[in-house]
Amino acid sequence: MRIEQSFTVGAPPDRVWSLIRDPQVMVGCVPGCDGIEQIDETSYTAQVTVSVGPIKARFNLVVEITEEQAPTFIRTESRGEEGSRASMVKSVNEMRLAPVDEGTEVSYSADVEISGRLGRYGAGMMKKIATKLAGKFEESFRTLAEAPEEVAG
């Protein structure tokens, strides 16, 4: 399943980049993210809970930055499994930042593979849920990035 979206943030690209690269900021913006821990400069572990219909799955993820061109581009790979190993997720994610008159345009894409019990819901339903979660991320991130720096950072 491929997800592609973009949104504009009323903040300069350098500020948006610094927020994106701060794992503690991102944990508060990613819906269902319960925690994140830095392993090294380019690797993290994270716990993310996702609800699909009657199923609630908590994934233990490893997130690795595979390419970075500060302050305009980052590519990550995420992989993980639900605690019971009933579902597995793997994704390749890209985010690009570009200056615009209003601040910064954030464009992102994700190629996501879900197997196991969540994968049985089909691409249509999963894409709808992923799009809804992406909207929540955009709203949280925009609110944080547009707040005065002494409040946000």
Side-chain angles (χ1 to χ4, degrees), residues 5-147:
Q5 291 187 262
S6 64
F7 62 100
T8 301
V9 175
D14 286 343
R15 173 160 169 71
V16 173
W17 181 261
S18 70
L19 293 172
I20 286 170
R21 287 296 282 122
D22 183 336
Q24 297 311 314
V25 167
M26 296 308 287
V27 75
C29 294
V30 174
C33 189
D34 304 322
I36 192 164
E37 188 175 316
Q38 189 165 355
I39 299 170
D40 57 36
E41 281 295 309
T42 60
S43 301
Y44 304 87
T45 59
Q47 298 75 43
V48 177
T49 303
V50 178
S51 295
V52 179
I55 298 174
K56 190 173 195 175
R58 182 179 166 135
F59 286 93
N60 297 309
L61 301 174
V62 174
V63 180
E64 183 178 352
I65 298 169
T66 58
E67 186 178 345
E68 183 174 14
Q69 298 166 10
T72 60
F73 176 78
I74 192 165
R75 177 181 292 129
T76 63
E77 290 185 17
S78 304
R79 62 192 175 286
E81 56 192 32
E82 185 181 5
S84 65
R85 297 186 178 178
S87 297
M88 308 268 299
V89 66
K90 181 177 163 184
S91 67
V92 176
N93 317 287
E94 293 184 355
M95 186 174 285
R96 297 177 192 280
L97 306 180
V100 294
D101 291 341
E102 301 84 13
T104 305
E105 180 179 50
V106 180
S107 303
Y108 62 94
S109 64
D111 289 307
V112 183
E113 294 176 31
I114 301 171
S115 60
R117 66 183 182 155
L118 287 182
R120 290 187 209 119
Y121 274 90
M125 180 176 227
M126 294 305 295
K127 188 163 188 169
K128 189 177 191 179
I129 291 166
T131 301
K132 181 179 176 183
L133 294 175
K136 288 181 179 181
F137 166 78
E138 291 171 19
E139 184 178 317
S140 295
F141 187 80
R142 185 181 295 113
T143 298
L144 181 69
E146 293 176 353

